[in-house]
Structures are given as C-alpha cells and as structure tokens.
Amino acid sequence: MKKQIAYVARFVPEYRRPVLEELNDRLNGRLVVCAGTPPGISFKALSSGPAPTYKRIQLRNTWIGGQRALIQDIRPVIACNSTVLLAEESPRTLSLPCLLATAKRKGIGTLLWGHFSSNRRAFSKLHPFDLYRVALAKRVDGCVCYTDEIAELIHSYVPSKHCFVARNTLNTPKLFKLYSALAAEGKAHVRNRLGLPEQGRIVVFIGRLVADKRPSILLDLHKALGNTEQTALILIGDGPERTKLLHRIESEGLNNIFLTGALPHLEDSSPWMYAADLMVCPGYVGLNVNHAFCLGLPVVTCTSPDPHIRYHSPEIAYLQPDVNSMQARHGDLNELVKAVLAVLDNRKYFSANALAYAKSNLRLENMVDGLVEAIQYAEERTLARERLP
C-alpha cells in the first residue's frame, strides 16, 4: 500500500479546497485530509461544495468557548498509514502537541503549516503563546510559512533548511480565466448587467461585515468621494455589521450603494469586483488582496494602528505601496480619501501592476510547489531515520 500524506486541519474552508485538489494531484493521489466541522452558522458555507478528489477523514471537533480552543480526536489521523503529517499550525488546537508527539513516536514525518505568529500583538520570545509556537516549530521536520516575511520571522528559532514558503493564495487558474472572460465582455457591459452605473467611479469591498473590518468607514468614504463626482459603492459580504450599515444608509439618504450579501463562489463575486475601479478595506486585509489582484483591482487599506503589530493577515506582504496599492494612516479619513483618489487618478498604472503581481507571485501552482517541497523533505528525513540501525 502506498504511503499517504495526512493533512490535519480544524476544518477546510471552500477557498482551501482547490489547493488541496492540486496538492493531491501532485502527490499522485496520496493526500488524506483529516478535518472536522466549523462552529457557528457563519462558517458553514465555507465547507460546502461537491465531493473532492482527495480522500477525507472526518474528525470529531470539540470546541471550547466558541472558537477559542479546540480538541480533536487524533486516533483516525494516526491510523491512516501516513508517512508525513502536515498539520495546521494553530495555538487554539489543544490536541496538536499530542498529535505531533504521537506521530514522531511512530516514525511519521511532521510539518506545521500556518502563521507562526499573531496579527494582534508583536512577536515576543517571552510571550507564552509565542514560546509555545516556537517550541512546536522546533519539534517538527519542517515549517511551511504563508509568506517570506513569516519565514524570516521564525528563522531565528528554526534552521532555514527546515523553513519553506507556500505563498497563501486562492484558486488563481479560475480567477485568471474569469478575468479574461470579463475583460472580453467589457467593464461597461458588466456594470450594465449588474445594474450598476455605467459611468463614474466604483469602489468595492469584499469580506465579512464585522467590526474589525471597519465597514462603516466605507460609507464615510462614499460620501466624501460623492462630493466630487458620481461614485458607487459595492459591499460584498454579510455579518453582524450589516444591520448598522443599512440603518445608516437609510437614515442618511445615501445612494448608489449596493449590498450583495455573501457571495462565496468566485464566479458570483468576480463580476462585481471586476466592475469596480479599486478595492478598499478600511480594516485588516487577508486573501481578499489575492482576489482583487487577480482581477486587476488595486487595493487601498490602512496601516497598522500600532507599528509593533502586523494587524493585517500575512497577505499584507503582497501590497507594494505606490505600485499596486496605497495605505492610509489608520483612522484618518482624509488620508484614506487622498489614497483612494491617488489610485483612481492613475487606475491603469495600479491595475496593471496588481494583475502583473498576481500572475508572477500568487499562482496556485507556486503555493503547491512550496508544499510539495516541504513534504518531500519530510519524507526524505523519515526514510533516513528508518535506515538508521
């Protein structure tokens, strides 16, 4: 029987499935995905879709305090005859140390894949959570990082030969195909069929409507931009802030604002994004950067409210200010308006650079290259240990 590669995660969101499909293909069908189900209604849509090509093992998730902590039943993982175990790096998964220790005892190669740090506070070798993350990183055969910047962060604690980079991204083959089809259709026609103004400037936001994303600032931005010329605002997403937004829109008599609700499928959300001139995120950014860049959309966001913390998800590393994006000082609406106008006034330049960056740096194949490299390294180390007397 061929040795399998086990990927262990809390749950598998929809955007991760294309990566796992490609990884399974590159591993000649050896991938086994071991995951549970997410808590709460808001995340259920992330795990929908047709059956994947890779083998799946359902794990029992025991969530503690909502999503604050998780204990998984690791027995099915250990029993799946794997040569390497690729585990999601998450300090919330309390069963992770036991899983890694058991795998090591049974001669299974181990890899961690994730952030290795927090967005919300500075990395510190004195902080207990960071000590914990470093301790686990030192135990495994290799660490797979989302960005080069995260790899550099942990190089002080883990040998560079044990660090691999798999730039976090989306289903870029599909996104590039959608972009080509939309470009052939033409922006004016796309706007028309969506019921958007054919003329004027359009700003789009995509993400969950939660306080940390600061969507209400988008209404202030819309009002400020509307003082100069016709402007429309598209909000793609859903969440607890939606009711507040609707109340403000109605009470302030705001026009040309389109709330689409959640559009989890790329073919549904991409036309709305392509119809826009840029994406604006007043709060933290993540993989929506990849989505925007693949459709030729530049990005405007804010800096961190604290220079000592990352604030944004690791994908902030993809932003090149004054090239494919702009950043305004956190909490400064005037700066945000200036940044947006700077991009709008040079949209072709920023758009071309956004798309070029995505095609050069954010391809799904490149992400899988990093994962395969790490898995092959861990397999070689496992075989070397087996040959020892």
Side-chain angles (χ1 to χ4, degrees), residues 127-184:
H127 195 284
F129 283 176
D130 292 334
L131 282 171
Y132 170 77
R133 297 179 103 147
V134 167
L136 290 187
K138 288 180 176 179
R139 287 188 195 179
V140 296
D141 291 298
C143 299
V144 185
C145 308
Y146 279 176
T147 63
D148 299 270
E149 288 72 15
I150 291 179
E152 290 173 11
L153 175 69
I154 66 171
H155 275 169
S156 300
Y157 309 95
V158 177
S160 58
K161 66 179 182 180
H162 292 178
C163 291
F164 303 86
V165 177
R167 283 192 163 201
N168 203 29
T169 196
L170 296 170
N171 187 353
T172 55
K174 186 171 187 176
L175 280 168
F176 292 143
K177 185 176 181 180
L178 285 167
Y179 172 79
S180 295
L182 291 164

Side-chain angles (χ1 to χ4, degrees), residues 169 171-182 266 270 290 293-296 354-365:
T169 196
N171 187 353
T172 55
K174 186 171 187 176
L175 280 168
F176 292 143
K177 185 176 181 180
L178 285 167
Y179 172 79
S180 295
L182 291 164
L266 296 178
S270 292
N290 303 56
F293 282 3
C294 287
L295 296 172
L355 184 61
Y357 186 91
K359 289 185 174 181
S360 297
N361 299 282
L362 303 180
R363 290 183 176 275
L364 181 144
E365 310 93 89

Side-chain angles (χ1 to χ4, degrees), residues 161-229:
K161 66 179 182 180
H162 292 178
C163 291
F164 303 86
V165 177
R167 283 192 163 201
N168 203 29
T169 196
L170 296 170
N171 187 353
T172 55
K174 186 171 187 176
L175 280 168
F176 292 143
K177 185 176 181 180
L178 285 167
Y179 172 79
S180 295
L182 291 164
E185 182 180 353
K187 192 176 292 286
H189 190 275
V190 173
R191 286 183 174 187
N192 181 266
R193 71 176 169 88
L194 293 175
L196 295 167
E198 288 189 32
Q199 303 299 319
R201 295 166 164 178
I202 298 182
V203 170
V204 69
F205 165 89
I206 185 167
R208 294 190 66 225
L209 299 180
V210 294
D212 284 347
K213 296 278 190 177
R214 304 173 72 228
S216 64
I217 302 299
L218 291 164
L219 301 187
D220 299 324
L221 172 68
H222 179 64
K223 291 166 66 176
L225 293 175
N227 291 330
T228 57
E229 64 177 272

Side-chain angles (χ1 to χ4, degrees), residues 72-95:
Q72 289 185 308
D73 182 2
I74 67 170
R75 290 172 295 181
V77 182
I78 299 300
C80 76
N81 189 38
S82 63
T83 183
V84 170
L85 187 152
L86 173 65
E88 179 186 19
E89 192 272 335
S90 172
R92 299 181 182 185
T93 306
L94 304 183
S95 49

